[in-house]
Amino acid sequence: MITRLLHFLDASPVNFLAASNIASSLEKAGYRRINPCEAIGEVKPGDKLFVTKNDSSVYAFHIGRKTMADAGFRMICAHCDSPTFRIKPNAEMLCEGGIVKLNTEVYGGPIMATWFDRPLTIAGRVIVKGDDAFSPKTLLLHVKRPLLQISNLAIHFNRQVNDGVKLSRQKDMLPILGIVTDELERGNMLLQVICSELGIVAQDILDFDLYLADATPACTFGAHDELISSGRLDDLSMCYAGLEAMINTDTTDTTKVLAIFDNEETGSQTKQGAASPFLAMMLKRIAMAQSGTEEAFYQAVERAFMVSADNAHAWHPNYSEKYDPTNHPVLGGGPVIKFNAAQKYASDAVSAAVFAQICDEAGVPCQRFVNHSDVPGGSTLGNILASSIPLRGVDMGNAILAMHSCRETGSVADHIYTVKAFTQFFAH
């Protein structure tokens, strides 16, 4: 199970690749891709369907034996984007000595210093000419070798570096791509890399969405290999746990839903984010295909339950003062239910009790997280989604260290626990 997770993490350096890999796994498990531009048609018990939006979000549906109006649906949602750096248009900047660096902008909220002096690569999607202006083609790109690096300034020029340095997003975080060795590379080095990787010509490229990614493979570490080190554990580990539970449970009375959103790290206010009406529209279409009335959708929502799966903060042995004194989850302690008095999480006593009972039935320990009252935290998917679809639900996740670092740390045991809990949730 952990080997599969590590392979998924390595193959999913950005949202587009993660969505593509999830879609491929669903297809192999017998899920049928549907086109949202076309009528859904007849929906029968046991049907397995999925749809994508923007090539970066995935929504899967395993239809239950009972209609959604009669039995509701059980949903796990997570997000496939992570903090990184987006390559700007006209990105190449030629410097002295023929060094080429790339102009980038920050995506989300990364710990920027963790991106220095490590091998990086690029991944995303490249848009090329299609049959007409409204139908361009999308090609996915993942350069599977070290390609760039953001280099630190030597300590000799910055003696205060170990006392803390304020980093400029525009000046300090620009990666080196290479050194010009041929006049043909001048101003075209990035395009040449893209064309070489995809086997296309520069004249066919219309645009791209490309991002930086850590080129070092995910791995386990620790005296007992009990810990996981990887970029993007937040939130790809939850995506993959939900996927494994989805494809490994049989048809039940209740419809199962897996929703993998994009753009959580930037607020979810996109057509592929948790604030979009797209998921509600798809659920309504399925409910109406089953029952013939719009009322069926509203009945389904009232009978539904959502698990919003986004990782939590593990207690850090060097910074115990940052954590709540009585509610600080630890690595290896099991899935974490998240609470917030300002309603930044969807959890309440009722929904937390439901999920805790699911964990108990699965033989899995369960933890609670509340922010230190002097340390405000962020929000996540649950409350954003519930503001558009009034679902009963819980916010949870696995405890990790160094959230939003280029390399985060999680627990092997916690991933196994969460897959068991999710499987019990879907099979219940």
Side-chain angles (χ1 to χ4, degrees):
M1 181 184 296
I2 299 303
T3 299
R4 292 195 299 271
L5 172 64
L6 298 180
H7 287 165
F8 174 72
L9 291 166
D10 289 341
S12 307
V14 293
N15 49 356
F16 303 110
L17 274 298
S20 176
N21 291 328
I22 290 168
S24 294
S25 294
L26 289 168
E27 287 181 323
K28 290 177 182 177
Y31 284 74
R32 174 172 60 88
R33 185 190 291 266
I34 57 177
N35 184 345
C37 297
E38 300 173 355
I40 290 178
E42 184 183 5
V43 176
K44 304 185 299 296
D47 281 355
K48 299 178 179 180
L49 317 168
F50 79 95
V51 62
T52 63
K53 188 71 171 176
N54 190 52
D55 303 318
S56 64
S57 61
V58 186
Y59 311 87
F61 311 91
H62 185 170
I63 307 303
R65 288 186 288 262
K66 296 182 178 180
T67 67
M68 292 206 310
D70 291 331
F73 55 89
R74 294 199 178 101
M75 177 168 65
I76 294 173
C77 58
H79 67 90
C80 61
D81 64 318
S82 300
T84 180
F85 297 84
R86 186 179 190 274
I87 298 174
K88 292 181 179 180
N90 306 310
E92 291 189 36
M93 305 171 72
L94 184 61
C95 308
E96 288 192 41
I99 292 176
V100 175
K101 63 182 180 181
L102 296 183
N103 195 8
T104 63
E105 60 180 328
V106 174
Y107 177 88
I111 304 175
M112 294 194 297
T114 63
W115 287 75
F116 283 116
D117 303 322
R118 64 170 66 244
L120 303 174
T121 188
I122 60 174
R125 64 179 178 181
V126 177
I127 311 303
V128 299
K129 294 176 182 178
D131 295 332
D132 61 73
F134 286 94
S135 303
K137 294 181 180 179
T138 297
L139 303 177
L140 297 182
L141 175 67
H142 179 192
V143 180
K144 298 180 180 180
R145 64 180 176 91
L147 185 66
L148 314 102
Q149 183 167 293
I150 304 171
S151 292
N152 253 305
L153 181 65
I155 194 171
H156 309 79
F157 299 126
N158 187 5
R159 297 289 184 181
Q160 289 75 45
V161 65
N162 292 324
D163 299 325
V165 173
K166 182 175 177 59
L167 296 173
S168 165
R169 296 180 173 207
Q170 184 61 65
K171 181 180 186 299
D172 298 311
M173 306 310 299
L174 305 185
I176 295 171
L177 176 60
I179 300 175
V180 171
T181 58
D182 187 312
E183 278 302 309
L184 293 177
E185 289 183 324
R186 192 177 295 270
N188 294 298
M189 186 177 286
L190 178 60
L191 281 180
Q192 287 187 5
V193 170
I194 294 171
C195 291
S196 175
E197 289 287 325
L198 297 178
I200 59 177
V201 295
Q203 291 78 8
D204 285 341
I205 298 176
L206 299 174
D207 215 324
F208 56 70
D209 291 313
L210 295 177
Y211 299 84
L212 306 189
D214 183 15
T216 306
C219 66
T220 57
F221 73 100
H224 311 288
D225 272 334
E226 69 271 43
L227 300 171
I228 301 171
S229 172
S230 175
R232 308 173 302 284
L233 285 176
D234 174 35
D235 192 32
L236 291 186
S237 60
M238 293 292 95
C239 293
Y240 198 68
L243 175 66
E244 292 231 310
M246 185 76 168
I247 64 180
N248 290 321
T249 48
D250 295 327
T251 304
T252 63
D253 285 346
T254 307
T255 292
K256 300 181 296 181
V257 181
L258 178 67
I260 306 299
F261 296 107
D262 191 12
N263 304 132
E264 190 275 343
E265 300 294 356
T266 55
S268 297
Q269 302 293 320
T270 61
K271 62 185 178 297
Q272 59 273 3
S276 167
F278 183 77
L279 175 60
M281 291 164 55
M282 292 304 304
L283 289 168
K284 183 180 292 188
R285 292 168 69 179
I286 292 172
M288 291 181 67
Q290 289 179 318
S291 303
T293 66
E294 187 173 325
E295 181 69 20
F297 168 68
Y298 301 109
Q299 292 175 297
V301 169
E302 292 304 311
R303 292 187 168 97
F305 194 93
M306 165 192 67
V307 174
S308 167
D310 196 1
N311 283 312
H313 298 292
W315 178 79
H316 196 305
N318 295 344
Y319 303 98
S320 60
E321 71 279 4
K322 295 293 185 180
Y323 297 83
D324 182 78
T326 61
N327 296 281
H328 46 264
V330 297
L331 292 168
V336 179
I337 301 173
K338 302 190 287 187
F339 296 91
N340 184 268
Q343 305 302 304
K344 292 186 176 182
Y345 299 134
S347 309
D348 57 26
V350 175
S351 62
V354 170
F355 187 74
Q357 181 64 27
I358 293 293
C359 289
D360 184 65
E361 292 175 1
V364 167
C366 185
Q367 307 183 85
R368 266 75 171 173
F369 171 81
V370 184
N371 279 305
H372 188 292
S373 296
D374 294 328
V375 183
S379 61
T380 183
L381 299 167
N383 63 326
I384 295 173
L385 184 58
S387 66
S388 59
I389 311 176
L391 294 165
R392 182 172 58 141
V394 64
D395 268 304
M396 57 73 62
N398 280 341
I400 64 171
L401 292 173
M403 187 179 290
H404 289 196
S405 172
C406 193
R407 300 282 293 195
E408 297 163 327
T409 296
S411 160
V412 167
D414 284 340
H415 183 73
I416 296 171
Y417 287 147
T418 294
V419 173
K420 288 182 178 179
F422 285 178
T423 301
Q424 180 67 19
F425 172 73
F426 275 146
H428 202 276

